[in-house]
Amino acid sequence: MSVCIFSTFNFQFSIQINMITQRKKVGLVSLGCDKNRVDGEKLLYEVAKHYDITSAIEDANVLIVNTCAFLGSAREEAINAVFEYLPYKESGNLEKIIMTGCLPQKFVGDMFDDFTEVDAFLGTKDGSLITQAIDEVYKGKRLNLVGKGKELGCSRIVTTPEHFAYLKISDGCNNHCTYCLIPKIRGKFVSRPIESLVEEAKGLGEVEELILVAQDTTRYGEDLYGEIKLVELIRALSALDTVKRIRLMYCYPELIDDKLIAEIRDNEKIIKYLDIPLQHASDRILKLMNRKGSYASYVALVNKLKEAIPSLVIRSTFIAGFPTETEEDVEILERFLKEAKLMNAGFFAYSREKDTPAYKIDGQIKEP
């Protein structure tokens, strides 16, 4: 029977699964990034061993809200999602709400006592406890299981359209950008073994486009092998007949070296596209952000990439309104964009986050 997983983005995701109607029906709302989506897909696979999966919120007995907490707006979205579906708990089939992911991982201590609408909380690495959590809340218990479980394995119920799937190659981050909560939420950078990732990719079946994601894709393997092994991973995945194309996301600029550039150029399976989060171009602001690059190094990298791979599409993202940013800093960024001629650039307003170094910087810019 074909069903769809619902999400707050209103995408419909087709999956095939045997339905056993007498069991509880479980739905999933997955918020935030594509890395979080992969975590949600693994939760679905684990849940489907014991419960039915439903796409219809009005039919769900249990709702899992898999959350993001990177920004204040993401935390607000997660909390609002619970209240959005709460009427189904008060007057419909919905009986239990379980919150998983980044928000409870970082903030469960602030939430557990007061956020009683949620029956159980699990963190980013507690997927092994998801079925136990469902069983226990039906015994009348309210649970805080953050930090008490283990990560799930490779198996997933893929929720993306048939032509692409994500492969999360690592978790956590060692970069410690001053505006970012990720290291406080996801922990240190941890790569997954090449063999495990190849096995997971095989399990996805035929994939037109396999998208490699991580907080820092270009650092892959450094912690596990003592040196960066992204190219070796790409080659191992490229050898799979079921993988038609590979796309690289979240490549930090200072780690894009000649070896990786040559692989992107020469490997026919790699899409000639790079997502490189630069965040700014003013040397002063980059230093305050604890970014390793500079205006000059960014220009040099873009020119080098274009020369080596003329057809390459480069996308980047930038933060506007970082503390102490001046008109001069903005003009520097504008000059960089004109010089670099990126194919696509996204801009995000700086979000002041407690427990980050940037939160304490004098010169916070007020919104107009």
Side-chain angles (χ1 to χ4, degrees), residues 2 56 91 93 99 114 150 157 167 194 199 232 329:
S2 179
S91 59
N93 290 318
M99 180 175 283
D114 296 328
K150 296 180 180 179
I157 292 178
L167 186 66
I194 291 175
E199 194 65 26
E232 287 76 8
D329 295 314

Side-chain angles (χ1 to χ4, degrees), residues 244-314:
K244 305 306 179 184
R245 297 184 297 171
I246 296 172
R247 185 186 297 269
L248 303 179
M249 299 287 286
Y250 315 122
C251 297
Y252 272 63
E254 62 270 15
L255 296 178
I256 300 174
D257 58 14
D258 291 342
K259 182 179 179 181
L260 179 58
I261 294 172
E263 186 67 20
I264 296 170
R265 180 193 64 211
D266 299 334
N267 188 328
E268 293 183 355
K269 285 195 174 183
I270 298 182
I271 295 172
K272 307 314 177 201
Y273 169 97
L274 274 182
D275 179 278
I276 310 173
L278 298 176
Q279 309 302 8
H280 216 284
S282 163
D283 290 356
R284 188 183 71 84
I285 294 295
L286 288 168
K287 186 176 181 179
L288 285 174
M289 290 178 168
N290 195 35
R291 303 287 293 186
K292 307 302 187 292
S294 66
Y295 185 108
S297 68
Y298 287 174
V299 170
L301 174 62
V302 170
N303 289 338
K304 184 177 186 178
L305 286 166
K306 289 182 176 181
E307 182 178 352
I309 315 169
S311 62
L312 184 69
V313 171
I314 302 174

Side-chain angles (χ1 to χ4, degrees), residues 63-67 78-79 82 97-101 103-104 111 115 118-123:
L63 175 64
I64 300 170
V65 182
N66 191 35
T67 62
I79 292 169
V82 171
I97 296 176
I98 296 176
M99 180 175 283
T100 64
L103 185 57
M111 300 167 58
F115 203 4
V118 175
D119 298 285
F121 297 85
L122 286 76

Side-chain angles (χ1 to χ4, degrees), residues 61 71 90-91 178 196 198 210 215 219 236 262 267 284 296 322:
N61 306 120
L71 302 173
E90 296 170 345
S91 59
T178 60
S196 174
V198 169
L210 185 65
Q215 297 299 335
R219 196 174 297 276
N267 188 328
R284 188 183 71 84
F322 191 81

